[in-house]
């Protein structure tokens, strides 16, 4: 049984499937995310595959400062992804709402809505940094597979509450 | 019997969140409705709370793909309000960055269009070539996406070694001529998937008021770089490619030809780069009361900024932005009518939509 568990952990770590979600970003992070999947940076060397549905995904990659209209959709998509799952917040926007801070149409940062495991800072982060974030999330995912129900976030959402 | 098919807001075929609702009869689309607003960050309101330095950084984040054109247009408007004229070297650098941005945006679009055609190999090839453009941009500005090049009265960074950039450019042009252009202009895959799809006639294009490559693919020859030259475009020689078919293939051809024209402009600008200052040194910017507008030709069409200021204020009184996708979007409705359902993602992508610009 133990061996089986170890095998599952390795499998999860070696082949995380991603779902990309844009919560109102400026597109900067999204094109860098796409660039990370293409030949120069080649995310597939990590076993990463981009999926079209959250129901097939292990890691959710979220960009953008979470607009009011996207906030509910994000929670729905998070609930749709099967456990164990991990969340990578790409860019400074989901971490702190970045330059859009104090906008009345934002409901960010992302930590208020779903637990985030890895933050990749930068505006936008370079594709290599995004890959590193995904690799980290894959390692977290592998550990989490051991205890599926208590999927505690590594960074607590209130830890990123922005000081206004 | 007609039925509705909703698509989005988070859909694998869409880069950005928006919702497309199609009303179909069998396989044929009879009408389409577009719901936007998922990217609404209230930037125009936020701009009123930022000072003249912060507002440039804020407007750069309207759109990550055409970030430079937003700051360029905003700075041009603010220069009108402060009575500053950027030195010639700055004007040339502005042209160079704007054209590099057009290059990377068109190649990006070509990649996405190829993906939607089901031509995945081409998608990867386009992105690989795009990385080479990004290398040039990174060599000039130090950044890959938000370049932070423009300031009031000039640019922030100099191009110290145009010869090395020219060399990178030549390699890039060879690559484009070898792969992207021939495949998109002659390959049967591209032709059979795009010819006669999503037609927008010249009359319709004029009546819905489309701009940029959309208009040029429908036979309307309009280009602000030619019609109302800004920065150093007056001194550049280039053609404005126009196609008359108005289908997706025509848009593909217009963009492919524009890539070549951009290379031509870049070569001239880098070759003729005049010496001198790159910005006007000013102790304090003295804004006058009033409204200034400024227009520029973004990769997707015309961008207009209207900036109002009150004398003595640090913040703008109002910043209004009109983006090209906002003008092009209504045309989708006429383009999808009568099309097959499977063609609609490609048709709506052919306007090169940018919803983060549109929603702001
Ligand atoms: S972090 Fe920067 S580049 Fe990324 S979405 Fe936010 S503003 Fe755009």
């Amino acid at each position: 049984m133990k061996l089986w568990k170890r095998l599952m952990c390795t499998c999860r770590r070696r082949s995380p499937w991603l779902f990309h979600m844009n919560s109102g970003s400026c597109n900067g992070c999204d094109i860098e995310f796409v660039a990370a999947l293409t030949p120069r940076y080649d995310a597939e060397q990590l076993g990463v595959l981009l999926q079209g549905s959250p129901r097939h995904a292990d890691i959710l990659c979220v960009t953008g400062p979470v607009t009011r209209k996207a906030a509910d959709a994000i929670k729905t998509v998070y609930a749709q992804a099967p456990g164990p799952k991990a969340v990578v917040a790409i860019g400074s926007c989901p971490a702190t709402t970045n330059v859009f801070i104090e906008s009345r149409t934002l409901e960010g940062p992302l930590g208020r809505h779903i637990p985030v495991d890895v933050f990749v800072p930068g505006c936008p982060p370079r594709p290599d940094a995004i890959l590193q974030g995904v690799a980290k999330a894959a390692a977290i995912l592998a550990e989490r597979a051991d205890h599926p129900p208590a999927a505690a976030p590594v960074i607590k959402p209130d830890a990123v509450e922005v000081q206004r | 019997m007609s039925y509705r098919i909703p698509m989005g807001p988070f859909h694998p075929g869409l880069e950005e969140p928006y919702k497309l609702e199609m009303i179909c009869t069998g396989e044929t689309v009879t009408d389409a409705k577009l719901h936007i607003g998922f990217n609404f960050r209230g930037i125009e309101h936020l701009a009123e709370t930022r000072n003249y330095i912060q507002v440039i950084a804020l407007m750069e984040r309207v759109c990550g793909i055409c970030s430079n054109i937003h700051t360029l247009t905003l700075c041009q408007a603010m220069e009108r309000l402060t009575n500053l004229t950027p030195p010639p070297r700055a004007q040339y650098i502005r042209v160079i960055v704007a054209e590099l941005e057009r290059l990377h945006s068109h190649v990006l679009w070509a990649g996405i269009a190829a993906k939607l055609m089901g031509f995945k190999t081409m998608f990867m090839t386009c992105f690989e070539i795009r990385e080479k453009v990004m290398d040039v941009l990174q060599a000039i500005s130090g950044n890959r996406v938000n370049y932070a090049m423009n300031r009031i009265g000039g640019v922030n960074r100099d191009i110290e070694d145009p010869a090395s950039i020219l060399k990178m450019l030549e390699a890039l042009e060879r690559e484009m001529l070898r792969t992207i252009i021939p495949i998109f202009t002659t390959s049967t895959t591209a032709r059979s998937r795009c010819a006669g799809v999503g037609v927008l006639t010249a009359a319709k294009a004029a009546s819905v008021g489309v701009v940029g490559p959309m208009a040029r693919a429908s036979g309307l020859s309009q280009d602000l770089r030619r019609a109302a030259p800004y920065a150093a475009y007056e001194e550049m020689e280039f053609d404005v490619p126009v196609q008359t078919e108005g289908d997706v293939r025509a848009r593909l051809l217009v963009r492919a030809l524009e890539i070549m024209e951009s290379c031509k402009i870049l070569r001239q600008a880098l070759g003729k780069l005049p010496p001198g200052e790159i910005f006007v040194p000013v102790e304090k910017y003295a804004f006058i009361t009033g409204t200034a507008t400024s227009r520029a030709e973004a990769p997707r069409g015309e961008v207009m900024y209207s900036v109002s200021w009150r004398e003595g204020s640090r913040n703008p009184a109002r910043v209004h932005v009109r983006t090209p996708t906002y003008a092009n979007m209504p045309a989708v409705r006429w383009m999808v009518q009568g099309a097959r359902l499977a063609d609609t993602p490609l048709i709506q992508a052919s306007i090169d939509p940018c919803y983060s610009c549109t929603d702001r």
Side-chain angles (χ1 to χ4, degrees):
Chain A
M1 214 44 213
K2 216 166 175 187
L3 192 68
W4 170 248
K5 255 189 189 164
R6 279 235 312 271
L7 180 69
M8 280 306 282
C9 281
T10 315
C11 292
R12 273 184 213 282
R13 188 163 49 79
R14 293 286 182 84
S15 69
W17 285 7
L18 307 186
F19 180 70
H20 170 220
M21 200 161 41
N22 175 335
S23 71
S25 89
C26 81
N27 264 343
C29 286
D30 305 71
I31 44 175
E32 292 298 77
F33 178 70
V34 178
L37 299 171
T38 49
R40 163 89 58 102
Y41 298 97
D42 193 18
E44 277 185 35
Q45 63 184 320
L46 302 176
V48 162
L49 209 58
L50 190 65
Q51 283 299 314
S53 160
R55 293 187 196 280
H56 298 161
D58 303 304
I59 298 179
L60 302 177
C61 295
V62 188
T63 58
V66 190
T67 55
R68 196 168 283 176
K69 224 171 164 176
D72 287 335
I74 282 194
K75 277 185 245 174
T76 317
V77 169
Y78 182 76
Q80 281 174 348
K85 54 195 161 194
V87 177
V88 183
I90 297 174
S92 302
C93 275
T96 64
T97 66
N98 205 7
V99 287
F100 311 115
I101 193 159
E102 285 166 356
S103 167
R104 293 173 199 176
T105 58
L106 294 188
E107 302 248 319
L110 182 67
R112 267 169 58 190
H113 302 282
I114 55 175
V116 181
D117 298 296
V118 181
F119 286 99
V120 185
C123 181
R126 307 220 164 204
D128 12 18
I130 296 177
L131 282 190
Q132 196 187 7
V134 169
K136 245 186 203 156
I140 290 172
L141 190 75
E143 246 163 59
R144 198 164 284 170
D146 241 358
H147 343 264
V154 173
I155 299 170
K156 295 257 165 36
D158 12 307
V160 296
E161 197 56 65
V162 187
Q163 297 286 316
R164 305 214 167 181
Chain B
M1 203 194 82
S2 71
Y3 52 92
R4 275 161 193 276
I5 299 182
M7 201 169 129
F10 296 106
H11 185 273
L14 314 176
E15 267 290 299
E16 295 170 79
Y18 62 92
K19 204 164 148 192
L20 197 62
E21 219 173 79
M22 277 162 302
I23 297 145
C24 310
T25 313
E27 262 286 284
T28 315
V29 180
T30 52
D31 207 351
K33 271 192 198 143
L34 193 63
H35 301 264
I36 57 168
F38 290 90
N39 276 344
F40 179 49
R41 290 151 287 166
I43 291 188
E44 285 188 11
H45 173 72
L46 274 182
E48 291 161 24
T49 66
R50 304 287 199 257
N51 69 29
Y52 51 86
I53 305 234
Q54 292 168 331
V55 78
I56 300 177
L58 179 69
M59 295 325 264
E60 185 146 47
R61 271 106 184 140
V62 167
C63 173
I65 301 178
C66 43
S67 57
N68 175 66
I69 210 81
H70 283 279
T71 55
L72 169 63
T73 327
L74 176 71
C75 287
Q76 279 179 0
M78 295 209 287
E79 276 152 16
R80 265 177 219 157
L81 288 168
T82 48
N83 267 326
L84 295 175
T85 317
R89 191 175 175 90
Q91 306 273 34
Y92 269 74
I93 295 177
R94 281 182 177 181
V95 167
I96 292 168
V97 180
E99 287 310 314
L100 280 169
E101 188 176 67
R102 193 181 316 277
L103 268 184
H104 103 75
S105 173
H106 280 358
V107 178
L108 174 88
W109 177 80
I112 291 188
K115 191 178 161 206
L116 289 171
M117 281 179 219
F119 203 166
K120 207 66 185 282
T121 323
M122 197 59 212
F123 165 69
M124 291 292 183
T125 314
C126 284
F127 266 79
E128 211 188 337
I129 293 175
R130 182 177 163 272
E131 284 301 323
K132 296 200 174 125
V133 191
M134 300 313 272
D135 282 346
V136 182
L137 275 167
Q138 196 174 342
I140 292 176
S141 74
N143 282 339
R144 282 170 54 93
V145 172
N146 296 323
Y147 320 111
M149 281 299 274
N150 293 300
R151 62 188 284 169
I152 310 173
V155 289
N156 281 323
R157 272 165 173 267
D158 199 1
I159 297 178
E160 269 145 24
D161 187 9
S164 74
I165 307 247
L166 211 54
K167 223 179 278 156
M168 284 164 113
L169 187 77
E170 260 152 30
L172 192 72
E173 203 178 352
R174 262 202 309 279
E175 197 82 14
M176 302 257 187
L177 270 177
R178 205 164 54 93
T179 47
I180 296 194
I181 312 280
I183 288 183
F184 277 131
T185 47
T186 57
S187 117
T188 33
T189 315
R191 183 174 311 150
S192 57
R193 196 73 166 78
C194 301
V197 170
V199 177
L200 189 71
T201 56
K204 198 82 226 171
S207 74
V208 293
V210 295
V211 293
M214 279 285 287
R216 295 196 279 276
S218 292
L220 309 177
S221 165
Q222 48 144 295
D223 192 327
L224 278 181
R225 293 175 289 171
R226 184 50 72 68
Y230 52 95
Y233 279 111
E234 225 162 346
E235 291 146 49
M236 305 292 156
E237 257 177 55
F238 60 96
D239 299 322
V240 178
V242 176
Q243 298 281 325
T244 48
E245 291 86 3
D247 54 1
V248 176
R249 183 172 146 79
R251 278 164 225 142
L252 200 63
L253 286 177
V254 162
R255 291 202 175 94
L257 293 173
E258 267 179 31
I259 290 176
M260 298 326 294
E261 292 303 320
S262 285
C263 288
K264 208 157 107 191
I265 297 175
L266 274 170
R267 215 169 321 113
Q268 292 172 37
L270 280 167
K272 291 198 290 196
L273 199 63
E277 290 283 316
I278 54 164
F279 58 86
V280 191
V282 193
E283 287 257 305
K284 191 166 182 288
Y285 295 106
F287 285 94
I288 53 167
T289 305
T291 303
T293 57
S294 151
R295 300 187 296 164
E297 183 78 20
R300 292 164 180 73
E302 174 186 331
V303 172
M304 193 209 69
Y305 268 67
S306 157
V307 182
S308 308
W309 219 284
R310 241 173 264 121
E311 204 177 317
S313 165
R314 289 159 65 83
N315 301 356
R318 175 90 172 93
V319 177
H320 175 71
V321 192
R322 185 182 186 269
T323 56
T325 306
Y326 184 72
N328 287 340
M329 231 164 27
V332 173
R333 192 162 168 215
W334 283 280
M335 277 151 48
V336 297
Q337 277 173 9
R340 275 172 308 160
L341 188 60
D343 286 335
T344 48
L346 184 62
I347 292 174
Q348 66 86 25
S350 75
I351 71 169
D352 198 357
C354 173
Y355 291 96
S356 59
C357 283
T358 312
D359 294 342
R360 295 188 291 282

